[in-house]
Amino acid sequence: MADSPSFLNDQKQTLQINKKAGSEALVEPLKLGERVKALRLSQNLTLEEAAQRAGLARSTLSKIENEQVSPTFAVVSKLVAGLGINIPQLFTQPEPEQTGGGRRDITRAGQAEPHPTKTYDHELHATQLSQKKMIPFKTRVHARSIDEFGQWVRHGGEEFLYVLSGEVMLYTEFYEPVALSTGDSAYYDCTMGHALVSLSEQDAEVLWVTA
Amino acid sequence: MADSPSFLNDQKQTLQINKKAGSEALVEPLKLGERVKALRLSQNLTLEEAAQRAGLARSTLSKIENEQVSPTFAVVSKLVAGLGINIPQLFTQPEPEQTGGGRRDITRAGQAEPHPTKTYDHELHATQLSQKKMIPFKTRVHARSIDEFGQWVRHGGEEFLYVLSGEVMLYTEFYEPVALSTGDSAYYDCTMGHALVSLSEQDAEVLWVTA
DNA sequence: AATATATGTTTCCTATAGGAAACTTTTGCT
DNA sequence: AGCAAAAGTTTCCTATAGGAAACATATATT
């Protein structure tokens, strides 16, 4: 594929593996009751209110929270719907607070990891961090015509694009091309083919973040 | 909480609701049985084998797969453990492959949705799109001292920060403050307290993307 | 084809989940 | 403190989930 930034695919892989690993912990010791209670309290709901919303009996909820019963799937569903919880949230351990889990990575203006292609010159930021949710990179767009792309660039996820300097034309598979000037941004689904060309004299510079 | 960008939480909400919506289908119509069966077959297991692994009776599994019962949470747990499934996988609909899923939203330089706080002036981008993975916003930092923040700004997810103009000091809970100039970026875990102040004469401008 | 074997379903019974109401504890008010 | 109202727990009963075994169906094996 023409100029599809290969590092994007790499990361995708990693991401998926992580998610899986994350929810794996829950195998047994998952304290469902605790979680439900925490979630209920976080919404400042009383047993009565919560039960009402979920269409359950006060008593039932109480028992669930105190781990006195193993609720039926139907009940869990009601709970989820009623309290506006989402399943992963319910079943995923409250994140052991990623002990010491505050990561940070600084990338200096000139120091980003270069990644040149025929049409773009990418500079990867935050390369010290693996398993991150987003991939940020700054790109110099030297393509001047859509013809320079063999075919649509296309990959998984969503992309946020911000024009740092110059002017670009954003071509996408399902929309008319749109011109973007400095300060404009676009957010789009990357499974849709997309390509960027510079309209300005100088190569345009854009910031891209993929997730 | 001081200046914690409320829209982040908002979005969180939305996200949850959305995901919920996603899994809401499950309120009732979620065909748990189908999913279990599919997962079992995908591992080429017979009812007997699967039941064995999960520590359940063959009959029980059969009933579950045929939606004749609403399994107890305990049973679901056993299933999950026994078959090596993970919960989200079980409860998340197999993604209808987002048919025709090519979305796009353009935000013009001056047109972003303003969101002023005491310390920052945020401008939200891509507000036409809901359920997106990232929340991009451009921010003018008018705080000049860390004291202007009551306490750490802290929320879920990860954040990418890119300095568009001016110079800022990035304070984080677990690291020494670091100065960032135009073109520098930072990527960090948002559960770690963080705050930004302008060092330059003019208010600094940064681009933030949260996921 | 007939029989054996394995896979999936249904039945029947016991254990337990869910709801209504009684009971207990906590919170707020004068 | 004493009372009232609200929040949470326990009890009791009915509905239903889970397991063992009987039954039915599909898949070899000779």
Side-chain angles (χ1 to χ4, degrees), chain B residues 127-139:
Chain B
T127 48
Q128 300 306 300
L129 260 34
S130 65
Q131 306 191 212
K132 50 190 182 301
K133 294 184 180 171
M134 298 179 284
I135 307 160
F137 50 104
K138 182 176 150 186
T139 300

Side-chain angles (χ1 to χ4, degrees), chain B residues 168-184:
Chain B
V168 295
M169 183 71 87
L170 170 62
Y171 292 88
T172 49
E173 194 170 8
F174 306 135
Y175 292 85
E176 284 300 307
V178 59
L180 299 173
S181 307
T182 305
D184 293 347

Side-chain angles (χ1 to χ4, degrees), chain A residues 70-74 89 91 101-105 107-109 125 132-134 158 176 179 184-185 187-189, chain B residues 16 70-74 91 101 103-105 107-109 125 133-134 158 175-176 179 184-185 187-189:
Chain A
S70 175
T72 269
F73 178 71
Q89 183 184 4
F91 294 90
R103 304 191 304 166
R104 199 193 67 176
D105 186 15
T107 308
R108 293 300 175 182
H125 282 232
K132 51 188 182 303
K133 294 184 178 170
M134 298 179 283
E158 299 175 4
E176 284 300 306
D184 293 348
S185 76
Y187 193 112
Y188 54 87
D189 185 343
Chain B
Q16 254 137 316
S70 175
T72 270
F73 178 71
F91 293 89
R103 305 190 304 166
R104 199 193 68 174
D105 186 15
T107 309
R108 294 299 176 183
H125 281 232
K133 294 184 180 171
M134 298 179 284
E158 300 175 3
Y175 292 85
E176 284 300 307
D184 293 347
S185 78
Y187 193 113
Y188 54 87
D189 185 342

Side-chain angles (χ1 to χ4, degrees), chain B residues 79-173:
Chain B
L79 256 179
V80 164
L83 298 193
I85 325 172
N86 64 18
I87 309 251
Q89 184 184 0
L90 225 195
F91 293 89
T92 296
Q93 288 295 34
E95 296 274 335
E97 206 42 63
Q98 182 136 8
T99 330
R103 305 190 304 166
R104 199 193 68 174
D105 186 15
I106 304 294
T107 309
R108 294 299 176 183
Q111 308 302 119
E113 188 178 314
H115 210 284
T117 73
K118 271 175 302 197
T119 45
Y120 303 130
D121 281 345
H122 302 296
E123 285 184 6
L124 281 162
H125 281 232
T127 48
Q128 300 306 300
L129 260 34
S130 65
Q131 306 191 212
K132 50 190 182 301
K133 294 184 180 171
M134 298 179 284
I135 307 160
F137 50 104
K138 182 176 150 186
T139 300
R140 173 174 293 274
V141 181
H142 45 78
R144 296 290 159 169
S145 154
I146 185 70
D147 302 325
E148 298 181 41
F149 297 82
Q151 53 208 291
W152 284 119
V153 176
R154 197 197 300 278
H155 46 92
E158 300 175 3
E159 210 150 59
F160 173 68
L161 165 68
Y162 182 90
V163 182
L164 293 170
S165 72
E167 188 173 13
V168 295
M169 183 71 87
L170 170 62
Y171 292 88
T172 49
E173 194 170 8

Side-chain angles (χ1 to χ4, degrees), chain A residues 116-176:
Chain A
T117 73
K118 269 173 302 190
T119 45
Y120 303 131
D121 281 344
H122 302 296
E123 286 183 7
L124 281 162
H125 282 232
T127 47
Q128 299 306 301
L129 259 35
S130 65
Q131 307 191 209
K132 51 188 182 303
K133 294 184 178 170
M134 298 179 283
I135 307 159
F137 50 103
K138 181 177 150 186
T139 300
R140 173 174 293 273
V141 182
H142 47 77
R144 297 288 160 169
S145 154
I146 187 69
D147 302 326
E148 298 181 39
F149 297 83
Q151 55 209 293
W152 285 119
V153 175
R154 196 196 302 275
H155 46 92
E158 299 175 4
E159 211 150 58
F160 173 68
L161 165 68
Y162 182 90
V163 181
L164 294 170
S165 72
E167 188 173 11
V168 296
M169 183 69 88
L170 171 62
Y171 292 88
T172 50
E173 193 170 10
F174 306 136
Y175 293 85
E176 284 300 306

Side-chain angles (χ1 to χ4, degrees), chain B residues 40-41 43-52 58 61 65 83:
Chain B
R40 173 173 66 84
L41 292 178
Q43 296 188 42
N44 274 92
L45 295 175
T46 71
L47 269 186
E48 180 61 40
E49 292 168 323
Q52 201 99 53
R58 207 163 70 245
L61 237 186
E65 291 192 353
L83 298 193

